[in-house]
Amino acid sequence: MEAQKKRGQFRFVPPVETFVPLADPAPKRPDAFVVEGKRLDGRSPDEFRPVFLKTGVISQAAGSAYIEMNQTKVICGVYGPRQTPKTVYSEKGKLNCFFKLATFAENGERRKYVSDKEEKELSMLMVQALEVSLRLETFPKSELDVFVLVLEESGGMVGAAITAASLALADAGIEMYDLVASCSVGVVDSHILLDPSIAEEKAAQSNLMVAIMPSANEITQMLQTGEIEHTKAPEAIELCLDGCSKIYQMMRQNLLETAAQKLSMEEAQRTADK
């Protein structure tokens, strides 16, 4: 009897009444996204969020890159080239892209680990944007794998992913015709906004993403959603191209600084060996 009492005191007694937890209310849409020529975060319509680029962030990868645009964070790793199966022969190499959002990347419901339809479509879009910039004939019967992981999504993730992937391919030493720079614009309440935040993207009547090889002056990919007036479309494309040129300069500067650091480390090592 005493033993039963001791066992019983550890039993959990559930409450008689239960309550459904209240979900966080959806944020209210602002009355205006541009006030006196300034956006809600203080930027002008043609201004980027703070951009941070870094290469060589994954030691096990042939090449890697990390891009941060305020709260949008994307990391990319390149592996290969590796030999294709013996049953498959091609004179040109093959580019494979794998786009994935981390389960915790977005606010709200967590994503599943298995890639969904949207992620597969974005993976194909990345292949189309990047493969024209690569000299695939330099590695026949081989495949190149590009893995992109969005750590946090706060607007512009597709453009950031393409930019990071191109930078990682250059870091891997893959022969390229040119780097591919990408960014997006959103049309919100008749205002064309460069590098829209997640709130601006959701409120936009239309979003446009462009990927371009600036030196060759060739657009490699364009993705437009929503409706846009025909009079605003040329202006939106022009602003997007101008933004891509600015991103391209940042990419070149980052690669030059990385190369200079590597040379200086190699020189220091040779001096130490002597």
Side-chain angles (χ1 to χ4, degrees):
M1 197 67 163
E2 199 64 36
Q4 287 180 357
K5 272 188 180 182
K6 286 184 179 179
R7 285 198 300 270
Q9 68 184 358
F10 294 108
R11 293 180 61 188
F12 172 72
V13 181
V16 178
E17 297 182 0
T18 59
F19 301 91
V20 178
L22 297 176
D24 292 335
K28 186 181 177 183
R29 186 188 191 279
D31 296 330
F33 281 88
V34 180
V35 180
E36 297 180 355
K38 293 290 184 182
R39 290 147 81 169
L40 298 179
D41 55 8
R43 292 183 290 154
S44 59
D46 60 349
E47 187 178 350
F48 275 102
R49 292 171 290 178
V51 179
F52 173 78
L53 298 171
K54 185 174 176 59
T55 54
V57 292
I58 304 176
S59 58
Q60 296 88 350
S64 59
Y66 172 79
I67 182 170
E68 188 173 303
M69 304 176 75
N70 199 16
Q71 291 182 337
T72 297
K73 302 175 179 67
V74 179
I75 191 168
C76 175
V78 173
Y79 299 86
R82 58 182 175 82
Q83 186 177 356
T84 54
K86 292 181 179 180
T87 55
V88 180
Y89 175 81
S90 69
E91 295 182 355
K92 289 187 176 182
K94 182 183 177 184
L95 175 67
N96 302 315
C97 291
F98 305 91
F99 181 96
K100 189 77 183 80
L101 275 145
T103 57
F104 49 82
E106 299 173 300
N107 289 328
E109 187 177 352
R110 293 171 70 93
R111 279 186 173 256
K112 296 180 180 179
Y113 289 102
V114 181
S115 295
D116 56 21
K117 183 180 178 182
E118 179 191 7
E119 291 169 335
K120 291 177 181 177
E121 288 177 350
L122 292 176
S123 298
M124 294 175 59
L125 182 144
M126 287 189 61
V127 171
Q128 294 167 0
L130 294 167
E131 67 179 355
V132 294
S133 70
L134 305 175
R135 295 193 59 196
L136 297 175
E137 67 276 7
T138 59
F139 47 95
K141 299 186 292 183
S142 301
E143 291 184 348
L144 197 61
D145 295 329
V146 176
F147 293 88
V148 171
L149 178 64
V150 179
L151 300 172
E152 187 172 356
E153 154 64 337
S154 185
M157 69 173 180
V158 180
I162 293 172
T163 299
S166 183
L167 204 56
L169 287 164
D171 183 56
I174 305 300
E175 290 190 42
M176 306 172 71
Y177 295 107
D178 195 8
L179 294 169
V180 178
S182 180
C183 69
S184 59
V185 298
V187 181
V188 185
D189 301 335
S190 76
H191 297 283
I192 302 176
L193 308 179
L194 179 65
D195 186 26
S197 64
I198 190 68
E200 292 168 340
E201 276 189 354
K202 290 180 177 179
Q205 290 77 49
S206 177
N207 287 297
L208 173 70
M209 186 279 299
V210 172
I212 184 174
M213 293 191 294
S215 295
N217 197 26
E218 180 180 344
I219 292 177
T220 63
Q221 186 59 270
M222 182 181 291
L223 176 66
Q224 190 261 329
T225 57
E227 298 181 359
I228 185 171
E229 297 177 11
H230 69 279
T231 55
K232 286 191 177 294
E235 187 182 347
I237 294 172
E238 194 63 36
L239 181 59
C240 216
L241 293 176
D242 183 59
C244 288
S245 297
K246 293 176 182 176
I247 291 289
Y248 179 72
Q249 294 303 324
M250 296 180 198
M251 295 168 72
R252 282 175 55 86
Q253 184 64 30
N254 181 271
L255 288 173
L256 288 171
E257 289 176 358
T258 303
Q261 289 176 3
K262 286 181 179 178
L263 285 172
S264 125
M265 289 175 64
E266 288 175 3
E267 175 118 10
Q269 185 64 39
R270 281 196 298 268
T271 306
D273 291 342
K274 289 179 182 179

